[in-house]
Amino acid sequence: MLKFDKLQLGQGWVAEPNAPEPQVSVDGSSVNVRFRSYRPVRDKKPTGILRALSLFSKTSLKFDETWGTLRFVGCSRWRWDSTNDHEWYKVGGHGRYSGVAPRWGEFYELTGLDPDRDAVSWEKIGADTVSSRHFLYYFRDETLEFMAEEWSFIPSCDAPIPTVSAKAGQEAKGNP
């Protein structure tokens, strides 16, 4: 039975849901996916008079935004599919895993028997190994899949995106 295990990028990072702008590059048997990402950040608690005044002000949620790189090592093949969130939610959607995967916009490892895995074309780098694992990331306007031995996520410290904030009680940018 096919199982979708949700993976966390680490330290609260997630892909920017409205405009992640993924970019794929291949370096030998490694594939890098660079995309816009963010994570919520807690403000420092005010002290003294500022603490008293903060009781009467609306607090705002803040986010660190940056480019991040999801790296797949020992990658034997990968694919870029144009299945987007509109197709995902449509009854009888065209995505291979529409109605099967738990949620759109998440990063998963697929385990178990998957008869549809080879029913689509892939960009081949090498042969799958016994250590190959199936990863799937649903971005807003595309789906990326990888057969790789391991993965890591590195937020880029040298290319920050300006901080975004939203008032408490409102939806933060891109949050459902």
Side-chain angles (χ1 to χ4, degrees):
M1 176 179 186
L2 185 60
K3 182 178 174 192
F4 289 77
D5 296 318
K6 183 178 172 185
L7 301 173
Q8 298 293 320
L9 294 179
Q11 301 174 344
W13 289 101
V14 295
E16 205 289 335
N18 292 318
E21 302 175 30
Q23 304 161 5
V24 176
S25 63
V26 178
D27 181 18
S29 66
S30 294
V31 176
N32 298 311
V33 183
R34 186 171 185 258
F35 57 92
R36 293 169 55 115
S37 56
Y38 78 98
R39 69 176 171 180
V41 178
R42 294 184 186 186
D43 282 337
K44 293 180 183 175
K45 289 189 177 185
T47 58
I49 188 72
L50 293 176
R51 182 176 181 194
L53 292 174
S54 72
L55 296 173
F56 301 103
S57 68
K58 292 186 176 186
T59 59
S60 62
L61 300 173
K62 296 195 186 295
F63 298 90
D64 273 346
E65 287 198 55
T66 189
W67 288 92
T69 300
L70 187 56
R71 182 174 178 85
F72 295 93
V73 177
C75 189
S76 56
R77 54 185 166 148
W78 66 279
R79 65 184 305 272
W80 185 307
D81 186 290
S82 62
T83 300
N84 61 21
D85 56 339
H86 301 287
E87 287 298 322
W88 172 262
Y89 291 111
K90 187 189 294 182
V91 175
H94 296 290
R96 280 193 353 259
Y97 302 112
S98 293
V100 180
R103 283 187 48 162
W104 178 260
E106 303 287 351
F107 178 40
Y108 297 103
E109 179 175 1
L110 283 66
T111 56
L113 181 62
D114 182 3
D116 295 328
R117 180 177 297 153
D118 296 320
V120 293
S121 61
W122 293 74
E123 297 291 328
K124 296 197 188 241
I125 297 171
D128 292 348
T129 68
V130 293
S131 301
S132 292
R133 298 157 57 193
H134 188 183
F135 300 99
L136 176 91
Y137 206 137
Y138 287 114
F139 289 97
R140 179 185 172 117
D141 292 322
E142 49 268 316
T143 302
L144 289 137
E145 290 183 75
F146 306 87
M147 292 297 294
E149 294 176 4
E150 58 186 76
W151 68 275
S152 62
F153 177 74
I154 303 131
S156 174
C157 297
D158 61 340
I161 297 169
T163 301
V164 176
S165 63
K167 298 213 182 238
Q170 294 179 343
E171 286 186 2
K173 181 180 177 186
N175 287 351

mmCIF file of all heavy atoms in Angstrom, residues 93-139:
data_model
loop_
_atom_site.group_PDB
_atom_site.id
_atom_site.type_symbol
_atom_site.label_atom_id
_atom_site.label_comp_id
_atom_site.label_asym_id
_atom_site.label_seq_id
_atom_site.Cartn_x
_atom_site.Cartn_y
_atom_site.Cartn_z
ATOM 1 N N GLY A 93 -9.281 15.373 -10.680
ATOM 2 C CA GLY A 93 -8.078 16.117 -11.059
ATOM 3 C C GLY A 93 -7.097 15.250 -11.834
ATOM 4 O O GLY A 93 -7.146 14.024 -11.788
ATOM 5 N N HIS A 94 -6.177 15.902 -12.542
ATOM 6 C CA HIS A 94 -5.264 15.194 -13.427
ATOM 7 C C HIS A 94 -3.966 14.758 -12.761
ATOM 8 O O HIS A 94 -3.163 14.089 -13.384
ATOM 9 C CB HIS A 94 -4.951 16.052 -14.656
ATOM 10 C CG HIS A 94 -6.166 16.308 -15.485
ATOM 11 N ND1 HIS A 94 -6.789 15.323 -16.216
ATOM 12 C CD2 HIS A 94 -6.885 17.428 -15.668
ATOM 13 C CE1 HIS A 94 -7.832 15.838 -16.827
ATOM 14 N NE2 HIS A 94 -7.923 17.111 -16.517
ATOM 15 N N GLY A 95 -3.732 15.145 -11.517
ATOM 16 C CA GLY A 95 -2.509 14.729 -10.849
ATOM 17 C C GLY A 95 -2.549 13.242 -10.518
ATOM 18 O O GLY A 95 -3.597 12.707 -10.156
ATOM 19 N N ARG A 96 -1.414 12.564 -10.651
ATOM 20 C CA ARG A 96 -1.367 11.123 -10.356
ATOM 21 C C ARG A 96 -1.802 10.815 -8.935
ATOM 22 O O ARG A 96 -2.368 9.772 -8.670
ATOM 23 C CB ARG A 96 0.057 10.591 -10.568
ATOM 24 C CG ARG A 96 0.371 10.338 -11.988
ATOM 25 C CD ARG A 96 1.629 9.542 -12.258
ATOM 26 N NE ARG A 96 2.509 9.207 -11.194
ATOM 27 C CZ ARG A 96 3.647 9.834 -10.909
ATOM 28 N NH1 ARG A 96 4.009 10.881 -11.595
ATOM 29 N NH2 ARG A 96 4.430 9.416 -9.943
ATOM 30 N N TYR A 97 -1.515 11.725 -8.024
ATOM 31 C CA TYR A 97 -1.822 11.463 -6.617
ATOM 32 C C TYR A 97 -2.972 12.323 -6.091
ATOM 33 O O TYR A 97 -3.187 12.392 -4.889
ATOM 34 C CB TYR A 97 -0.562 11.659 -5.773
ATOM 35 C CG TYR A 97 0.574 10.772 -6.218
ATOM 36 C CD1 TYR A 97 1.707 11.302 -6.808
ATOM 37 C CD2 TYR A 97 0.497 9.395 -6.074
ATOM 38 C CE1 TYR A 97 2.744 10.485 -7.232
ATOM 39 C CE2 TYR A 97 1.519 8.566 -6.494
ATOM 40 C CZ TYR A 97 2.647 9.114 -7.069
ATOM 41 O OH TYR A 97 3.667 8.312 -7.492
ATOM 42 N N SER A 98 -3.717 12.981 -6.980
ATOM 43 C CA SER A 98 -4.889 13.753 -6.547
ATOM 44 C C SER A 98 -5.860 12.828 -5.829
ATOM 45 O O SER A 98 -6.168 11.744 -6.314
ATOM 46 C CB SER A 98 -5.602 14.379 -7.750
ATOM 47 O OG SER A 98 -4.807 15.348 -8.356
ATOM 48 N N GLY A 99 -6.284 13.230 -4.677
ATOM 49 C CA GLY A 99 -7.213 12.423 -3.898
ATOM 50 C C GLY A 99 -6.548 11.307 -3.109
ATOM 51 O O GLY A 99 -7.199 10.605 -2.356
ATOM 52 N N VAL A 100 -5.232 11.133 -3.270
ATOM 53 C CA VAL A 100 -4.517 10.085 -2.541
ATOM 54 C C VAL A 100 -3.569 10.704 -1.516
ATOM 55 O O VAL A 100 -3.522 10.294 -0.373
ATOM 56 C CB VAL A 100 -3.728 9.169 -3.512
ATOM 57 C CG1 VAL A 100 -2.990 8.094 -2.752
ATOM 58 C CG2 VAL A 100 -4.659 8.553 -4.533
ATOM 59 N N ALA A 101 -2.802 11.714 -1.952
ATOM 60 C CA ALA A 101 -1.881 12.394 -1.038
ATOM 61 C C ALA A 101 -2.695 13.202 -0.029
ATOM 62 O O ALA A 101 -3.759 13.720 -0.364
ATOM 63 C CB ALA A 101 -0.940 13.306 -1.808
ATOM 64 N N PRO A 102 -2.220 13.303 1.197
ATOM 65 C CA PRO A 102 -2.989 13.995 2.231
ATOM 66 C C PRO A 102 -3.283 15.467 1.955
ATOM 67 O O PRO A 102 -4.393 15.909 2.136
ATOM 68 C CB PRO A 102 -2.121 13.862 3.483
ATOM 69 C CG PRO A 102 -1.228 12.706 3.212
ATOM 70 C CD PRO A 102 -1.020 12.672 1.722
ATOM 71 N N ARG A 103 -2.297 16.262 1.515
ATOM 72 C CA ARG A 103 -2.507 17.698 1.327
ATOM 73 C C ARG A 103 -1.668 18.237 0.189
ATOM 74 O O ARG A 103 -0.573 17.767 -0.062
ATOM 75 C CB ARG A 103 -2.101 18.469 2.591
ATOM 76 C CG ARG A 103 -3.090 18.391 3.713
ATOM 77 C CD ARG A 103 -2.692 19.296 4.833
ATOM 78 N NE ARG A 103 -2.348 20.626 4.311
ATOM 79 C CZ ARG A 103 -2.288 21.704 5.046
ATOM 80 N NH1 ARG A 103 -2.540 21.651 6.320
ATOM 81 N NH2 ARG A 103 -1.956 22.867 4.516
ATOM 82 N N TRP A 104 -2.181 19.269 -0.431
ATOM 83 C CA TRP A 104 -1.442 19.996 -1.449
ATOM 84 C C TRP A 104 -0.435 20.915 -0.763
ATOM 85 O O TRP A 104 -0.642 21.360 0.347
ATOM 86 C CB TRP A 104 -2.396 20.844 -2.291
ATOM 87 C CG TRP A 104 -1.659 21.639 -3.308
ATOM 88 C CD1 TRP A 104 -1.315 22.954 -3.213
ATOM 89 C CD2 TRP A 104 -1.120 21.166 -4.533
ATOM 90 N NE1 TRP A 104 -0.599 23.325 -4.311
ATOM 91 C CE2 TRP A 104 -0.460 22.239 -5.139
ATOM 92 C CE3 TRP A 104 -1.117 19.940 -5.176
ATOM 93 C CZ2 TRP A 104 0.184 22.133 -6.358
ATOM 94 C CZ3 TRP A 104 -0.484 19.829 -6.393
ATOM 95 C CH2 TRP A 104 0.147 20.915 -6.975
ATOM 96 N N GLY A 105 0.672 21.217 -1.439
ATOM 97 C CA GLY A 105 1.629 22.192 -0.933
ATOM 98 C C GLY A 105 2.607 21.634 0.081
ATOM 99 O O GLY A 105 3.253 22.389 0.798
ATOM 100 N N GLU A 106 2.741 20.326 0.162
ATOM 101 C CA GLU A 106 3.608 19.710 1.164
ATOM 102 C C GLU A 106 4.723 18.906 0.499
ATOM 103 O O GLU A 106 4.681 18.615 -0.693
ATOM 104 C CB GLU A 106 2.795 18.778 2.074
ATOM 105 C CG GLU A 106 1.628 19.438 2.781
ATOM 106 C CD GLU A 106 2.033 20.356 3.918
ATOM 107 O OE1 GLU A 106 3.222 20.380 4.293
ATOM 108 O OE2 GLU A 106 1.150 21.062 4.425
ATOM 109 N N PHE A 107 5.706 18.530 1.306
ATOM 110 C CA PHE A 107 6.860 17.740 0.882
ATOM 111 C C PHE A 107 6.695 16.347 1.481
ATOM 112 O O PHE A 107 6.518 16.210 2.687
ATOM 113 C CB PHE A 107 8.125 18.426 1.389
ATOM 114 C CG PHE A 107 9.411 17.714 1.082
ATOM 115 C CD1 PHE A 107 9.638 17.093 -0.140
ATOM 116 C CD2 PHE A 107 10.421 17.694 2.022
ATOM 117 C CE1 PHE A 107 10.847 16.461 -0.409
ATOM 118 C CE2 PHE A 107 11.635 17.073 1.766
ATOM 119 C CZ PHE A 107 11.837 16.458 0.554
ATOM 120 N N TYR A 108 6.727 15.310 0.644
ATOM 121 C CA TYR A 108 6.469 13.941 1.085
ATOM 122 C C TYR A 108 7.553 12.975 0.636
ATOM 123 O O TYR A 108 8.198 13.180 -0.393
ATOM 124 C CB TYR A 108 5.156 13.408 0.483
ATOM 125 C CG TYR A 108 3.920 14.152 0.892
ATOM 126 C CD1 TYR A 108 3.312 15.055 0.027
ATOM 127 C CD2 TYR A 108 3.349 13.941 2.142
ATOM 128 C CE1 TYR A 108 2.162 15.731 0.398
ATOM 129 C CE2 TYR A 108 2.201 14.615 2.513
ATOM 130 C CZ TYR A 108 1.613 15.507 1.639
ATOM 131 O OH TYR A 108 0.481 16.172 2.011
ATOM 132 N N GLU A 109 7.674 11.899 1.411
ATOM 133 C CA GLU A 109 8.378 10.717 0.937
ATOM 134 C C GLU A 109 7.310 9.662 0.731
ATOM 135 O O GLU A 109 6.484 9.423 1.617
ATOM 136 C CB GLU A 109 9.408 10.211 1.937
ATOM 137 C CG GLU A 109 10.106 8.960 1.438
ATOM 138 C CD GLU A 109 11.229 8.472 2.334
ATOM 139 O OE1 GLU A 109 11.483 9.085 3.382
ATOM 140 O OE2 GLU A 109 11.846 7.448 1.973
ATOM 141 N N LEU A 110 7.309 9.039 -0.434
ATOM 142 C CA LEU A 110 6.337 7.999 -0.743
ATOM 143 C C LEU A 110 6.996 6.655 -0.490
ATOM 144 O O LEU A 110 8.107 6.405 -0.964
ATOM 145 C CB LEU A 110 5.894 8.076 -2.204
ATOM 146 C CG LEU A 110 4.892 9.177 -2.556
ATOM 147 C CD1 LEU A 110 5.481 10.549 -2.400
ATOM 148 C CD2 LEU A 110 4.391 8.984 -3.952
ATOM 149 N N THR A 111 6.322 5.817 0.272
ATOM 150 C CA THR A 111 6.842 4.483 0.563
ATOM 151 C C THR A 111 5.776 3.452 0.215
ATOM 152 O O THR A 111 4.589 3.752 0.212
ATOM 153 C CB THR A 111 7.244 4.354 2.052
ATOM 154 O OG1 THR A 111 6.116 4.682 2.872
ATOM 155 C CG2 THR A 111 8.401 5.268 2.399
ATOM 156 N N GLY A 112 6.216 2.261 -0.077
ATOM 157 C CA GLY A 112 5.283 1.194 -0.408
ATOM 158 C C GLY A 112 5.127 1.028 -1.908
ATOM 159 O O GLY A 112 5.765 1.710 -2.709
ATOM 160 N N LEU A 113 4.274 0.107 -2.273
ATOM 161 C CA LEU A 113 4.034 -0.218 -3.678
ATOM 162 C C LEU A 113 3.364 0.950 -4.396
ATOM 163 O O LEU A 113 2.338 1.448 -3.952
ATOM 164 C CB LEU A 113 3.152 -1.472 -3.769
ATOM 165 C CG LEU A 113 2.817 -1.953 -5.168
ATOM 166 C CD1 LEU A 113 4.097 -2.351 -5.907
ATOM 167 C CD2 LEU A 113 1.865 -3.130 -5.110
ATOM 168 N N ASP A 114 3.960 1.389 -5.482
ATOM 169 C CA ASP A 114 3.425 2.494 -6.282
ATOM 170 C C ASP A 114 3.409 2.081 -7.752
ATOM 171 O O ASP A 114 4.374 2.286 -8.480
ATOM 172 C CB ASP A 114 4.279 3.751 -6.092
ATOM 173 C CG ASP A 114 3.735 4.941 -6.864
ATOM 174 O OD1 ASP A 114 2.668 4.825 -7.509
ATOM 175 O OD2 ASP A 114 4.386 5.994 -6.820
ATOM 176 N N PRO A 115 2.318 1.490 -8.214
ATOM 177 C CA PRO A 115 2.252 1.018 -9.603
ATOM 178 C C PRO A 115 2.300 2.154 -10.629
ATOM 179 O O PRO A 115 2.624 1.918 -11.789
ATOM 180 C CB PRO A 115 0.925 0.266 -9.664
ATOM 181 C CG PRO A 115 0.122 0.785 -8.531
ATOM 182 C CD PRO A 115 1.091 1.221 -7.472
ATOM 183 N N ASP A 116 2.015 3.397 -10.206
ATOM 184 C CA ASP A 116 2.009 4.526 -11.133
ATOM 185 C C ASP A 116 3.357 5.230 -11.246
ATOM 186 O O ASP A 116 3.526 6.122 -12.070
ATOM 187 C CB ASP A 116 0.953 5.552 -10.711
ATOM 188 C CG ASP A 116 -0.451 5.007 -10.820
ATOM 189 O OD1 ASP A 116 -0.690 4.167 -11.716
ATOM 190 O OD2 ASP A 116 -1.307 5.399 -10.003
ATOM 191 N N ARG A 117 4.322 4.852 -10.424
ATOM 192 C CA ARG A 117 5.612 5.555 -10.392
ATOM 193 C C ARG A 117 6.276 5.595 -11.769
ATOM 194 O O ARG A 117 6.816 6.614 -12.180
ATOM 195 C CB ARG A 117 6.549 4.906 -9.383
ATOM 196 C CG ARG A 117 7.906 5.596 -9.299
ATOM 197 C CD ARG A 117 8.791 4.986 -8.250
ATOM 198 N NE ARG A 117 8.164 5.170 -6.955
ATOM 199 C CZ ARG A 117 8.352 4.371 -5.912
ATOM 200 N NH1 ARG A 117 9.155 3.329 -6.001
ATOM 201 N NH2 ARG A 117 7.746 4.597 -4.767
ATOM 202 N N ASP A 118 6.245 4.490 -12.492
ATOM 203 C CA ASP A 118 6.925 4.429 -13.782
ATOM 204 C C ASP A 118 5.985 4.647 -14.964
ATOM 205 O O ASP A 118 6.380 4.455 -16.116
ATOM 206 C CB ASP A 118 7.653 3.087 -13.916
ATOM 207 C CG ASP A 118 8.748 2.955 -12.874
ATOM 208 O OD1 ASP A 118 9.441 3.954 -12.616
ATOM 209 O OD2 ASP A 118 8.911 1.858 -12.306
ATOM 210 N N ALA A 119 4.759 5.089 -14.691
ATOM 211 C CA ALA A 119 3.789 5.324 -15.759
ATOM 212 C C ALA A 119 3.987 6.683 -16.431
ATOM 213 O O ALA A 119 3.276 7.017 -17.368
ATOM 214 C CB ALA A 119 2.370 5.223 -15.200
ATOM 215 N N VAL A 120 4.942 7.466 -15.929
ATOM 216 C CA VAL A 120 5.216 8.801 -16.470
ATOM 217 C C VAL A 120 6.690 8.888 -16.845
ATOM 218 O O VAL A 120 7.506 8.073 -16.408
ATOM 219 C CB VAL A 120 4.861 9.894 -15.439
ATOM 220 C CG1 VAL A 120 3.365 9.944 -15.192
ATOM 221 C CG2 VAL A 120 5.606 9.681 -14.139
ATOM 222 N N SER A 121 7.031 9.888 -17.649
ATOM 223 C CA SER A 121 8.437 10.036 -18.054
ATOM 224 C C SER A 121 9.229 10.795 -16.988
ATOM 225 O O SER A 121 8.699 11.672 -16.307
ATOM 226 C CB SER A 121 8.529 10.751 -19.403
ATOM 227 O OG SER A 121 7.975 12.048 -19.303
ATOM 228 N N TRP A 122 10.488 10.426 -16.854
ATOM 229 C CA TRP A 122 11.407 11.012 -15.879
ATOM 230 C C TRP A 122 12.664 11.486 -16.600
ATOM 231 O O TRP A 122 13.029 10.940 -17.641
ATOM 232 C CB TRP A 122 11.834 9.966 -14.852
ATOM 233 C CG TRP A 122 10.773 9.462 -13.927
ATOM 234 C CD1 TRP A 122 9.754 8.600 -14.229
ATOM 235 C CD2 TRP A 122 10.634 9.764 -12.545
ATOM 236 N NE1 TRP A 122 9.005 8.341 -13.110
ATOM 237 C CE2 TRP A 122 9.524 9.049 -12.059
ATOM 238 C CE3 TRP A 122 11.356 10.562 -11.660
ATOM 239 C CZ2 TRP A 122 9.114 9.113 -10.725
ATOM 240 C CZ3 TRP A 122 10.948 10.622 -10.327
ATOM 241 C CH2 TRP A 122 9.832 9.907 -9.884
ATOM 242 N N GLU A 123 13.349 12.459 -16.025
ATOM 243 C CA GLU A 123 14.693 12.843 -16.454
ATOM 244 C C GLU A 123 15.639 11.880 -15.748
ATOM 245 O O GLU A 123 15.715 11.883 -14.516
ATOM 246 C CB GLU A 123 15.018 14.282 -16.039
ATOM 247 C CG GLU A 123 14.127 15.324 -16.662
ATOM 248 C CD GLU A 123 14.346 15.465 -18.154
ATOM 249 O OE1 GLU A 123 15.492 15.255 -18.611
ATOM 250 O OE2 GLU A 123 13.382 15.777 -18.854
ATOM 251 N N LYS A 124 16.329 11.039 -16.497
ATOM 252 C CA LYS A 124 17.177 10.007 -15.887
ATOM 253 C C LYS A 124 18.613 10.485 -15.761
ATOM 254 O O LYS A 124 19.169 11.064 -16.687
ATOM 255 C CB LYS A 124 17.120 8.730 -16.689
ATOM 256 C CG LYS A 124 15.711 8.138 -16.682
ATOM 257 C CD LYS A 124 15.710 6.701 -17.096
ATOM 258 C CE LYS A 124 14.272 6.285 -17.253
ATOM 259 N NZ LYS A 124 13.781 5.295 -16.472
ATOM 260 N N ILE A 125 19.193 10.211 -14.589
ATOM 261 C CA ILE A 125 20.592 10.534 -14.320
ATOM 262 C C ILE A 125 21.393 9.238 -14.238
ATOM 263 O O ILE A 125 22.519 9.157 -14.682
ATOM 264 C CB ILE A 125 20.718 11.330 -13.003
ATOM 265 C CG1 ILE A 125 19.979 12.658 -13.125
ATOM 266 C CG2 ILE A 125 22.183 11.541 -12.637
ATOM 267 C CD1 ILE A 125 19.844 13.424 -11.837
ATOM 268 N N GLY A 126 20.794 8.209 -13.661
ATOM 269 C CA GLY A 126 21.431 6.914 -13.493
ATOM 270 C C GLY A 126 20.372 5.888 -13.143
ATOM 271 O O GLY A 126 19.172 6.153 -13.252
ATOM 272 N N ALA A 127 20.814 4.740 -12.679
ATOM 273 C CA ALA A 127 19.874 3.674 -12.306
ATOM 274 C C ALA A 127 19.479 3.818 -10.837
ATOM 275 O O ALA A 127 20.280 4.255 -10.006
ATOM 276 C CB ALA A 127 20.528 2.312 -12.533
ATOM 277 N N ASP A 128 18.217 3.475 -10.528
ATOM 278 C CA ASP A 128 17.787 3.431 -9.133
ATOM 279 C C ASP A 128 18.635 2.406 -8.393
ATOM 280 O O ASP A 128 19.072 1.409 -8.973
ATOM 281 C CB ASP A 128 16.306 3.028 -9.025
ATOM 282 C CG ASP A 128 15.362 4.091 -9.578
ATOM 283 O OD1 ASP A 128 15.809 5.219 -9.844
ATOM 284 O OD2 ASP A 128 14.174 3.772 -9.742
ATOM 285 N N THR A 129 18.862 2.650 -7.113
ATOM 286 C CA THR A 129 19.604 1.705 -6.276
ATOM 287 C C THR A 129 18.676 1.184 -5.187
ATOM 288 O O THR A 129 17.550 1.668 -5.039
ATOM 289 C CB THR A 129 20.833 2.377 -5.622
ATOM 290 O OG1 THR A 129 20.364 3.344 -4.664
ATOM 291 C CG2 THR A 129 21.719 3.053 -6.659
ATOM 292 N N VAL A 130 19.145 0.239 -4.399
ATOM 293 C CA VAL A 130 18.328 -0.276 -3.290
ATOM 294 C C VAL A 130 18.110 0.816 -2.247
ATOM 295 O O VAL A 130 17.166 0.738 -1.455
ATOM 296 C CB VAL A 130 18.971 -1.528 -2.631
ATOM 297 C CG1 VAL A 130 18.978 -2.693 -3.598
ATOM 298 C CG2 VAL A 130 20.359 -1.242 -2.117
ATOM 299 N N SER A 131 18.952 1.847 -2.250
ATOM 300 C CA SER A 131 18.814 2.958 -1.293
ATOM 301 C C SER A 131 17.952 4.096 -1.832
ATOM 302 O O SER A 131 17.720 5.079 -1.127
ATOM 303 C CB SER A 131 20.195 3.511 -0.938
ATOM 304 O OG SER A 131 21.006 2.519 -0.385
ATOM 305 N N SER A 132 17.490 3.996 -3.081
ATOM 306 C CA SER A 132 16.678 5.067 -3.674
ATOM 307 C C SER A 132 15.339 5.187 -2.957
ATOM 308 O O SER A 132 14.694 4.189 -2.650
ATOM 309 C CB SER A 132 16.431 4.802 -5.163
ATOM 310 O OG SER A 132 17.620 4.904 -5.895
ATOM 311 N N ARG A 133 14.961 6.436 -2.713
ATOM 312 C CA ARG A 133 13.682 6.754 -2.063
ATOM 313 C C ARG A 133 12.927 7.725 -2.974
ATOM 314 O O ARG A 133 13.525 8.472 -3.733
ATOM 315 C CB ARG A 133 13.947 7.383 -0.698
ATOM 316 C CG ARG A 133 14.681 6.435 0.222
ATOM 317 C CD ARG A 133 15.455 7.137 1.334
ATOM 318 N NE ARG A 133 14.636 7.999 2.180
ATOM 319 C CZ ARG A 133 15.159 8.879 3.034
ATOM 320 N NH1 ARG A 133 16.465 9.020 3.154
ATOM 321 N NH2 ARG A 133 14.371 9.628 3.776
ATOM 322 N N HIS A 134 11.599 7.710 -2.868
ATOM 323 C CA HIS A 134 10.745 8.531 -3.739
ATOM 324 C C HIS A 134 10.273 9.754 -2.959
ATOM 325 O O HIS A 134 9.581 9.627 -1.952
ATOM 326 C CB HIS A 134 9.553 7.689 -4.193
ATOM 327 C CG HIS A 134 8.703 8.345 -5.232
ATOM 328 N ND1 HIS A 134 7.564 7.747 -5.704
ATOM 329 C CD2 HIS A 134 8.793 9.522 -5.893
ATOM 330 C CE1 HIS A 134 7.001 8.528 -6.605
ATOM 331 N NE2 HIS A 134 7.736 9.621 -6.726
ATOM 332 N N PHE A 135 10.649 10.942 -3.450
ATOM 333 C CA PHE A 135 10.251 12.205 -2.818
ATOM 334 C C PHE A 135 9.359 12.987 -3.762
ATOM 335 O O PHE A 135 9.536 12.949 -4.984
ATOM 336 C CB PHE A 135 11.486 13.040 -2.467
ATOM 337 C CG PHE A 135 12.420 12.351 -1.519
ATOM 338 C CD1 PHE A 135 13.547 11.709 -1.991
ATOM 339 C CD2 PHE A 135 12.172 12.331 -0.158
ATOM 340 C CE1 PHE A 135 14.422 11.064 -1.131
ATOM 341 C CE2 PHE A 135 13.033 11.687 0.714
ATOM 342 C CZ PHE A 135 14.159 11.054 0.228
ATOM 343 N N LEU A 136 8.418 13.724 -3.193
ATOM 344 C CA LEU A 136 7.438 14.478 -3.967
ATOM 345 C C LEU A 136 7.212 15.816 -3.274
ATOM 346 O O LEU A 136 7.010 15.850 -2.059
ATOM 347 C CB LEU A 136 6.134 13.678 -4.008
ATOM 348 C CG LEU A 136 4.935 14.292 -4.664
ATOM 349 C CD1 LEU A 136 4.905 13.894 -6.130
ATOM 350 C CD2 LEU A 136 3.671 13.821 -3.993
ATOM 351 N N TYR A 137 7.288 16.918 -4.024
ATOM 352 C CA TYR A 137 7.006 18.235 -3.446
ATOM 353 C C TYR A 137 5.963 18.912 -4.313
ATOM 354 O O TYR A 137 6.170 19.116 -5.507
ATOM 355 C CB TYR A 137 8.261 19.100 -3.374
ATOM 356 C CG TYR A 137 8.190 20.140 -2.268
ATOM 357 C CD1 TYR A 137 9.271 20.386 -1.456
ATOM 358 C CD2 TYR A 137 7.037 20.877 -2.031
ATOM 359 C CE1 TYR A 137 9.223 21.325 -0.441
ATOM 360 C CE2 TYR A 137 6.968 21.803 -1.017
ATOM 361 C CZ TYR A 137 8.071 22.030 -0.238
ATOM 362 O OH TYR A 137 8.011 22.955 0.769
ATOM 363 N N TYR A 138 4.830 19.256 -3.692
ATOM 364 C CA TYR A 138 3.772 19.990 -4.382
ATOM 365 C C TYR A 138 3.979 21.477 -4.146
ATOM 366 O O TYR A 138 3.727 21.982 -3.060
ATOM 367 C CB TYR A 138 2.391 19.593 -3.843
ATOM 368 C CG TYR A 138 1.931 18.242 -4.267
ATOM 369 C CD1 TYR A 138 1.758 17.217 -3.344
ATOM 370 C CD2 TYR A 138 1.649 17.976 -5.596
ATOM 371 C CE1 TYR A 138 1.312 15.973 -3.735
ATOM 372 C CE2 TYR A 138 1.203 16.721 -5.991
ATOM 373 C CZ TYR A 138 1.040 15.737 -5.056
ATOM 374 O OH TYR A 138 0.599 14.505 -5.449
ATOM 375 N N PHE A 139 4.461 22.177 -5.166
ATOM 376 C CA PHE A 139 4.539 23.624 -5.111
ATOM 377 C C PHE A 139 3.223 24.170 -5.653
ATOM 378 O O PHE A 139 2.353 23.411 -6.056
ATOM 379 C CB PHE A 139 5.715 24.132 -5.954
ATOM 380 C CG PHE A 139 7.061 23.836 -5.357
ATOM 381 C CD1 PHE A 139 7.787 22.734 -5.776
ATOM 382 C CD2 PHE A 139 7.593 24.660 -4.378
ATOM 383 C CE1 PHE A 139 9.033 22.468 -5.234
ATOM 384 C CE2 PHE A 139 8.836 24.395 -3.828
ATOM 385 C CZ PHE A 139 9.554 23.300 -4.255
#
